[in-house]
Structures are given as structure tokens and as C-alpha cells.
Amino acid sequence: VLVTVKLPCAARPAVLPIVLCSVLLFSSGLSISPDNDVSIGFPRYKVPPVSHELAQEIVRDAPPRSTIYAPIEIAKLITTFRMHPYPLLVRIEYSGFERTRSHFGDPELERRRRVIAILEGVDNKPSSAEFFQMQLANDRPTMVAYATEVAGASMIEASLIAAGYVGEKRGLYWLWRR
């Protein structure tokens, strides 16, 4: 038996705002959440223009199939272009997938995470400089990008200069080439 209820005319306009508020309040586990970089607000650029310009320059100038060191904000944009070089790591979350872990192995993924942590200013251990220099020698990335104000920028710069890279400031970022 199907029972239908007719809402009074005065209550009908309130239904839509109540449903929308309910979705916003209880959406923490849904796709509409800050954890998924989703926010409710006035329209804005979906991709930061400065980051997109740098990613576009890297894709345009890097040799095919070359390795790139870039913070996640830039690396995830590089992979949106059709023909792109290979960032060392695209998203930290992807490194936890079983298929990714079984392909690369935990030591390799940890090494990649640490390189990105250095570029993003999260890893400032005393051993970071030596570790970063060893990774530059092993991977021989064709380009390295990082934010100008990142913690450890002077150590990254010194390592890149010692490895023969030439840097140019690109807005909020430094871009280094071999």
C-alpha cells in the first residue's frame, strides 16, 4: 500500500533548502567534502593559473619519457596533458594502493615520497641534503620544480647547482633544467 502525503502550500518552498542543507551537513563521507578538495562557494578557477602555466611549460620543454621532480600540486597537472614527461610521484594517496605497492615495492615508494617531501619542505632532516643529491644522481631528472618559499629551498638550490642544473624563477616557483 503506497501512502502519499500532500504538503501544505506554505511548506513546499522550504523542502529544497532543507534537503540542500542536509546534504551539506551530512556529506563528510560523500564526494562533496573538503577531503576531496570540494567546497561550496562562488565559481573560481578549477586549476590555479600559475601552477597550470608551469606544468604546461614543463610538458612543452621536457624530453619525452623523461623524469620530472615536482611538488604534487604541479605533478598532478603535468599528467593531465596528452603527451607528458613522468613526474616521480603524482599523488601521495596513490602510493598506498596495493597494485602500486606491489609494482614498485615499499622501499621505492618511500624513496619517492621522501624526494617529494623535500621539494614540498616537509622533510628537513640533516640527512636530507645528502639524500637529495644521491637521488638527483640516480634519477637524473630533466627538470626540477619547487615553490620559492618552501622550507629547505637553499639546500635544494645548492644541490641542484652542484649537480649542474640551471634555475629560473617562474612566479611562485623555481624551475631547474639540466
Side-chain angles (χ1 to χ4, degrees), residues 58-165:
I58 290 170
V59 170
R60 182 185 66 235
D61 295 348
R65 304 184 60 82
S66 63
T67 299
I68 304 296
Y69 281 7
I72 297 300
E73 181 177 332
I74 303 300
K76 67 184 180 183
L77 296 176
I78 289 171
T79 60
T80 63
F81 292 88
R82 182 173 164 92
M83 301 294 285
H84 61 79
Y86 299 117
L88 191 65
L89 193 63
V90 178
R91 290 185 186 263
I92 300 294
E93 308 88 55
Y94 292 175
S95 63
F97 293 152
E98 183 59 36
R99 186 171 181 188
T100 306
R101 288 177 46 231
S102 65
H103 178 74
F104 287 107
D106 288 333
E108 174 63 13
L109 288 173
E110 188 53 41
R111 179 189 79 82
R112 290 173 182 234
R113 282 189 211 109
R114 186 165 183 206
V115 170
I116 299 305
I118 290 169
L119 290 176
E120 293 182 341
V122 177
D123 184 332
N124 293 318
K125 297 174 188 160
S127 62
S128 295
E130 183 180 350
F131 173 81
F132 190 67
Q133 290 167 357
M134 284 183 0
Q135 302 318 303
L136 287 171
N138 289 338
D139 293 330
R140 300 179 51 83
T142 56
M143 293 182 174
V144 178
Y146 60 91
T148 56
E149 300 299 322
V150 72
S154 59
M155 178 277 295
I156 296 169
E157 179 180 351
S159 297
L160 290 166
I161 290 171
Y165 287 80

Side-chain angles (χ1 to χ4, degrees), residues 24-80:
L24 293 176
L25 289 174
F26 301 108
S27 67
S28 62
L30 303 175
S31 62
I32 303 175
S33 74
D35 293 340
N36 290 330
D37 292 329
V38 175
S39 60
I40 305 298
F42 290 107
R44 63 189 186 332
Y45 288 113
K46 291 181 185 240
V47 176
V50 174
S51 301
H52 186 267
E53 287 174 22
L54 182 62
Q56 190 173 31
E57 180 178 351
I58 290 170
V59 170
R60 182 185 66 235
D61 295 348
R65 304 184 60 82
S66 63
T67 299
I68 304 296
Y69 281 7
I72 297 300
E73 181 177 332
I74 303 300
K76 67 184 180 183
L77 296 176
I78 289 171
T79 60
T80 63

